[in-house]
Amino acid sequence: MDLQQLHAMEANCTQENLPRCTAACPLHVDVRGMMAAIRKGDFSAGYDLFAKMAPFPGIISRVCDQPCQEACKRVEAGDGLAINALEQACRNFNTQPLLKNNLIPNKNKKVAVVGAGISGLTVALNLAKKGYKLTVFDTGTEFGGRLLEFPEAKLPRQMMADDFAILAKLGVQAKLGVTVGNHAGAGVLFNDLLAEFDAVYLGLGQIKAADFALGLEMDSDGCICIDPVTFGTSNPKVFAGGSYRQEQGKLSLIHSVAAGQSAAISIDRALQGVALTFSRSHEGPQPTRLFTSTEGVEPRPVVVMADSGLGYTREEATAEAERCLDCQCMECVKLCEYLKHYRAYPLSYARQIYKNMTSVVRKSNQMINSCSMCRLCEEVCQDNFSMADLCREARETMVSTGKMPPSAFGFALQELKYSNSDLAALTRHEPGFSQSQVMFYPGCQLSGSAPGQVIQTYNYLREKIKDGVGLMLGCCGAPADWAGEKEKFIAAIQSIKSEWERMGTPKVILGCPTCFMIFKNNLPDIPVEFLWTFMDQIGLPEVPSAGSYTLAVHDSCTTRHEREIHDSVRNILRQLGHRVEELKTSREFTECCGFGGLMQIANRELARMVVDRRIDESDKDYVTYCAMCRDNFTNRGKTTYHLLDLIFGDKNGKMTARPPVGYSQRHEERARLKTTVLREIWGEAVQDKPALVNLVIADEVRALMEDSLILTADLQQVIEYAERTGNKFRNSTNGHFLACYKPAYVTYWAEYSVGETGFVIHDAYSHRMEILDK
Ligand code: SF4
Ligand code: SF4
Ligand code: SF4
């Protein structure tokens, strides 16, 4: 992933975009933060956030025309927030000093401001804070300009004086009662100002600039031409703004303040010789892409003040702030346990991942490796942000640069290798046929979880289709794809393709949703159909009725866009006489069972949380059409049927939920399935491979092995090796042996004793440490 890709991804997650109130506010006051502070009763913190952006907080808290309120998302469910009244409450109940002491570096440059209205004073304040020497000229006898038109009750003069006190404190000179211009009667000639000062700001009111005959370029209405971004004029030393620029009747005080702030930035840049126009798009009101759902938000009217003259009381202010929706997006985080687990949102993960990819010291591999790649985030995101693509990209990069630890997905890759080895893989035409009209590909998970049902399904297909049904046992390569092992994945799908060609290019009927996705996306030449749509079309096998139940359907995340499959699954359930309950999220919004993306291998604790959350959604028994979903749910104690459990029932035709199936059992069953079909269907005299040694494993030890991804076959190797070579320790206290064996990169340890029917396993663990023969 390069920087350009990162930026493209970043642009898709809108979570860090401004909330609508802040985006509409010309000063970008952090309203959301201020509301949060008020809700906590911390008016001083609220005031700090407000005053950080508002140059004269007392005045603005009284007379802002609050464009934010109209933009507020609350409007979709009632009135917008009374933001200005809450700013006033922050000012009223703030207990911190209003004026803070700032150390100002002296810039030794002089700026004149003509006009002591709010825009001119904003320029003066901003530049004085930066260390410039400011002089403010005005024809009036006091500061305030248009502000002086507000009645005392609306804008107390003392409050104005308090706000303006900072100007004197910063050394701003006031020349009041003075007219500036180049006309007769002007007390100070504009040209003299230009000669004396390094820059001049004209913060003029609603009087035509031509009256001043300033010698600046004018438009046809006789107004000074002003650059709308920089507030510069035809004279590089002169900047202009204020209500003069605004339409009569639509005067906005807060826009005058914003103009003053922008002009101050320009003047500072001009005096420092820096480009005026660079990176200014964030100034002033702007649109925002932040998505905030108001679904289910109850309308609530604005809190009315008991005394409008006094403003909100503390309690009223807190109640009003509670109406704030605290606008966020987080649509994906609300639904994804993985995103929630790492305590942030996709945009911040994209940055962390990029940092991880480019830094020498790598961290957060587990975060990259834990996404289940279920693509629910893409589904709910307005801009289709794909965490799955991001994590896959990162995993591939880590593998290709040798930074993926072999243990990360080693177990799943070993299982892939095993499923496609001679021990478990098989491709055959139906006995008595030299070609196949269709080929059944059950997938390694169904083969490991329910080998009997693979055989039943194969027999059913052979009954229904008379022109030859081939069988192919193996793994579709999904674990390699998820692990970022591109080469291994390509090898797996190429081998499927060449076997399919060898079989005469039949249509393939898939028994696993993950295989379905892999075939569809990566083997476009192969015509495929999912078992469920096929069965729905050609009719179910004749089986005794299993009764009538209400079952909650869990759709597989790998089929989220396969509406036809969803419908067929539900049709089949109804044909079997069951009632279907839909889970809160289903079909295209379904959730992962924790198997996808190898989440379970990378982060077992998280995968458990994902499963538990899903199985808690309904107290009904679940039905799935993926072997791994069934096994994951069943292993966490939820009664869950695979669709084939219902179709075939048990031997009495009863609906009985199969017990949990662990890694070891799935591993062994794959090889057993191959020998069984060869023996029973093709009539070959094959023997099951004899176990290296017999093991006796108690349930709690088996659970521990399952948790640590240790297979029975791994411990058989440990003990066979220890007994053959004598490389073992004996614990003289309890007589147990301790031995280890390292078939590839993982060392397996077993503590065992010799029992009557086999070796008794007392404990087992594994690690990646090297044991040297010295
Ligand atoms: S849904 Fe998620 S990824 Fe999309 S904008 Fe919202 S927070 Fe960002
Ligand atoms: S609801 Fe709150 S955060 Fe959202 S726009 Fe309104 S004031 Fe801002
Ligand atoms: S687990 Fe699924 S929803 Fe969550 S980030 Fe990964 S792909 Fe998106």
Side-chain angles (χ1 to χ4, degrees):
M1 182 166 60
D2 58 25
L3 198 56
Q4 217 179 346
Q5 281 171 300
L6 173 79
H7 289 329
M9 285 199 147
E10 278 183 347
N12 281 349
C13 176
T14 60
Q15 166 60 15
E16 286 180 11
N17 276 35
L18 296 176
R20 295 245 296 249
C21 48
T22 302
C25 166
L27 310 184
H28 297 173
V29 169
D30 177 6
V31 178
R32 193 172 51 188
M34 192 174 76
M35 298 298 175
I38 299 172
R39 282 197 296 272
K40 283 193 243 151
D42 191 346
F43 290 88
S44 296
Y47 177 77
D48 273 355
L49 288 173
F50 170 51
K52 196 171 152 204
M53 308 309 283
F56 300 110
I59 297 168
I60 293 173
S61 79
R62 288 292 182 136
V63 295
C64 178
D65 35 293
Q66 48 175 359
C68 52
Q69 187 176 28
E70 211 176 301
C72 172
K73 198 73 187 162
R74 240 298 163 197
V75 170
E76 289 170 24
D79 306 320
L81 267 283
I83 297 168
N84 196 222
L86 290 169
E87 288 166 348
Q88 191 185 324
C90 286
R91 169 69 168 73
N92 290 350
F93 305 130
N94 166 51
T95 51
Q96 305 299 314
L98 294 180
L99 297 184
K100 304 219 165 113
N101 276 327
N102 299 321
L103 267 183
I104 306 155
N106 193 333
K107 288 265 181 26
N108 213 14
K109 291 236 161 101
K110 296 195 298 183
V111 180
V113 168
V114 182
I118 193 79
S119 92
L121 294 181
T122 300
V123 171
L125 176 62
N126 284 9
L127 292 176
K129 276 184 180 171
K130 288 187 182 298
Y132 293 103
K133 289 192 176 58
L134 266 293
T135 308
V136 177
F137 297 85
D138 200 285
T139 46
T141 53
E142 55 185 315
F143 280 176
R146 206 158 37 97
L147 293 174
L148 298 166
E149 293 166 18
F150 285 104
E152 169 77 20
K154 174 80 176 159
L155 180 59
R157 294 298 173 266
Q158 187 55 50
M159 185 165 278
M160 279 172 68
D162 288 348
D163 270 6
F164 293 152
I166 188 172
L167 293 167
K169 200 160 174 254
L170 291 169
V172 174
Q173 301 274 312
K175 299 267 168 100
L176 301 174
V178 177
T179 312
V180 177
N182 270 351
H183 53 87
V188 174
L189 290 178
F190 180 59
N191 286 342
D192 290 344
L193 278 193
L194 287 179
E196 187 187 344
F197 290 88
D198 298 287
V200 178
Y201 176 74
L202 303 172
L204 303 172
Q206 288 279 322
I207 307 167
K208 290 277 169 64
D211 296 348
F212 289 82
L214 295 172
L216 299 168
E217 195 184 310
M218 305 281 176
D219 62 18
S220 54
D221 293 335
C223 297
I224 305 166
C225 297
I226 305 171
D227 183 294
V229 175
T230 64
F231 293 78
T233 67
S234 54
N235 185 328
K237 276 179 89 171
V238 182
F239 296 80
S243 58
Y244 155 74
R245 296 182 69 243
Q246 296 173 15
E247 222 180 295
Q248 188 68 296
K250 284 194 185 163
L251 290 180
S252 164
L253 185 119
I254 202 67
H255 279 95
S256 289
V257 175
Q261 289 191 327
S262 291
I265 292 171
S266 298
I267 294 170
D268 181 36
R269 287 186 181 191
L271 295 180
Q272 294 197 64
V274 181
L276 255 52
T277 49
F278 177 70
S279 180
R280 306 208 54 167
S281 56
H282 61 282
E283 288 172 32
Q286 49 193 254
T288 174
R289 287 172 53 229
L290 180 71
F291 174 79
T292 307
S293 170
T294 47
E295 207 185 306
V297 172
E298 294 285 321
R300 273 168 71 181
V302 70
V303 173
V304 180
M305 296 165 196
D307 183 338
S308 61
L310 290 177
Y312 278 138
T313 61
R314 281 189 170 79
E315 293 69 30
E316 286 167 348
T318 308
E320 177 60 9
E322 267 162 13
R323 293 200 315 121
C324 174
L325 303 174
D326 191 23
C327 290
Q328 313 270 351
C329 177
M330 302 296 248
E331 288 302 295
C332 54
V333 183
K334 285 181 212 159
L335 286 176
C336 170
E337 198 66 36
Y338 158 73
L339 291 175
K340 206 181 284 170
H341 181 75
Y342 287 97
R343 296 199 177 86
Y345 45 88
L347 176 51
S348 69
Y349 298 142
R351 289 203 196 108
Q352 279 178 47
I353 290 173
Y354 179 74
K355 212 164 139 206
N356 189 51
M357 293 286 91
T358 47
S359 75
V360 184
V361 185
R362 283 158 195 268
K363 284 192 218 142
S364 73
N365 287 347
Q366 201 191 33
M367 190 260 270
I368 295 168
N369 290 345
S370 298
C371 168
S372 75
M373 297 184 175
C374 72
R375 299 191 175 274
L376 178 58
C377 49
E378 260 172 84
E379 210 55 43
V380 294
C381 176
Q382 300 291 305
D383 290 273
N384 303 105
F385 190 102
S386 173
M387 230 9 231
D389 287 345
L390 178 62
C391 291
R392 180 201 301 269
E393 184 81 34
R395 290 182 199 181
E396 272 180 20
T397 308
M398 283 164 67
V399 170
S400 66
T401 53
K403 304 293 181 192
M404 180 68 86
S407 62
F409 296 117
F411 179 81
L413 295 170
Q414 280 299 113
E415 284 297 275
L416 160 65
K417 197 169 158 194
Y418 172 81
S419 296
N420 286 342
S421 74
D422 277 350
L423 285 167
L426 168 98
T427 311
R428 289 276 175 116
H429 288 300
E430 187 177 338
F433 287 82
S434 57
Q435 59 179 34
S436 296
Q437 190 199 353
V438 298
M439 184 167 74
F440 179 41
Y441 190 94
C444 64
Q445 296 305 341
L446 183 62
S447 301
S449 174
Q453 289 173 1
V454 170
I455 298 173
Q456 281 174 301
T457 308
Y458 184 51
N459 288 336
Y460 150 81
L461 291 171
R462 286 163 61 206
E463 264 171 40
K464 292 279 184 184
I465 302 159
K466 296 298 177 200
D467 300 330
V469 182
L471 179 67
M472 188 168 175
L473 302 179
C475 172
C476 66
D481 188 32
W482 285 330
E485 295 276 357
K486 216 170 178 169
E487 281 173 25
K488 289 191 174 82
F489 176 59
I490 291 171
I493 55 171
Q494 271 173 356
S495 136
I496 292 174
K497 190 161 181 224
S498 55
E499 285 291 85
W500 169 72
E501 281 166 353
R502 187 172 68 76
M503 295 291 279
T505 67
K507 174 174 172 174
V508 177
I509 295 179
L510 297 156
C512 164
T514 301
C515 301
F516 183 79
M517 173 197 67
I518 294 283
F519 272 66
K520 231 183 130 176
N521 293 346
N522 301 281
L523 294 161
D525 297 343
I526 303 184
V528 290
E529 182 148 10
F530 203 7
L531 185 58
W532 317 120
T533 45
F534 195 74
M535 276 190 160
D536 189 25
Q537 261 174 38
I538 63 171
L540 300 178
E542 289 289 322
V543 285
S545 163
S548 171
Y549 297 88
T550 301
L551 297 162
V553 182
H554 164 78
D555 292 301
S556 303
C557 59
T558 40
T559 65
R560 70 171 69 256
H561 293 126
E562 307 292 338
R563 199 144 255 279
E564 220 190 321
I565 293 174
H566 305 152
D567 289 343
S568 287
V569 165
R570 285 153 178 83
N571 276 345
I572 290 174
L573 284 168
R574 282 188 209 102
Q575 282 176 50
L576 292 168
H578 304 303
R579 286 174 299 276
V580 174
E581 182 185 277
E582 295 293 347
L583 288 170
K584 197 175 76 225
T585 50
S586 64
R587 296 181 182 254
E588 65 266 42
F589 296 113
T590 191
E591 294 174 30
C592 179
C593 71
F595 172 64
L598 301 176
M599 175 191 265
Q600 237 171 7
I601 307 290
N603 196 334
R604 289 182 70 68
E605 190 200 334
L606 174 64
R608 259 184 219 126
M609 284 157 62
V610 167
V611 173
D612 288 351
R613 199 173 83 149
R614 186 61 167 165
I615 61 183
D616 280 349
E617 276 179 37
S618 168
D619 54 7
K620 297 283 179 313
D621 292 349
Y622 280 17
V623 59
T624 75
Y625 40 97
C626 166
M628 277 315 294
C629 299
R630 189 218 78 102
D631 288 356
N632 278 351
F633 294 166
T634 307
N635 289 352
R636 296 294 293 163
K638 179 80 181 173
T639 303
T640 306
Y641 300 93
H642 187 274
L643 200 46
L644 287 176
D645 298 339
L646 303 175
I647 289 172
F648 292 115
D650 67 8
K651 59 181 182 302
N652 305 312
K654 292 261 169 54
M655 194 174 92
T656 317
R658 283 186 288 120
V661 178
Y663 288 115
S664 284
Q665 194 181 340
R666 273 197 293 268
H667 177 88
E668 286 153 20
E669 293 294 3
R670 285 178 199 130
R672 204 170 295 138
L673 175 63
K674 176 174 175 175
T675 51
T676 309
V677 293
L678 284 177
R679 213 167 26 229
E680 291 179 3
I681 296 177
W682 279 273
E684 293 183 13
V686 283
Q687 294 298 319
D688 284 323
K689 205 169 165 238
L692 283 175
V693 287
N694 270 346
L695 299 187
V696 180
I697 309 175
D699 284 351
E700 58 274 18
V701 179
R702 206 172 274 285
L704 187 145
M705 288 166 58
E706 189 74 8
D707 243 17
S708 323
L709 301 174
I710 299 172
L711 299 175
T712 312
D714 298 327
L715 298 191
Q716 283 170 333
Q717 288 192 67
V718 173
I719 294 170
E720 187 279 331
Y721 172 76
E723 292 298 306
R724 177 163 46 83
T725 60
N727 281 350
K728 55 185 177 180
F729 304 100
R730 185 169 179 280
N731 182 330
S732 55
T733 322
N734 57 14
H736 292 176
F737 294 109
L738 186 64
C740 70
Y741 185 67
K742 185 179 175 214
Y745 54 85
V746 179
T747 306
Y748 297 99
W749 288 86
E751 183 187 334
Y752 66 98
S753 58
V754 183
E756 278 178 17
T757 53
F759 295 93
V760 181
I761 304 293
H762 300 284
D763 197 3
Y765 53 96
S766 65
H767 59 71
R768 292 174 53 227
M769 194 168 70
E770 290 281 335
I771 305 292
L772 299 177
D773 258 350
K774 283 204 172 158

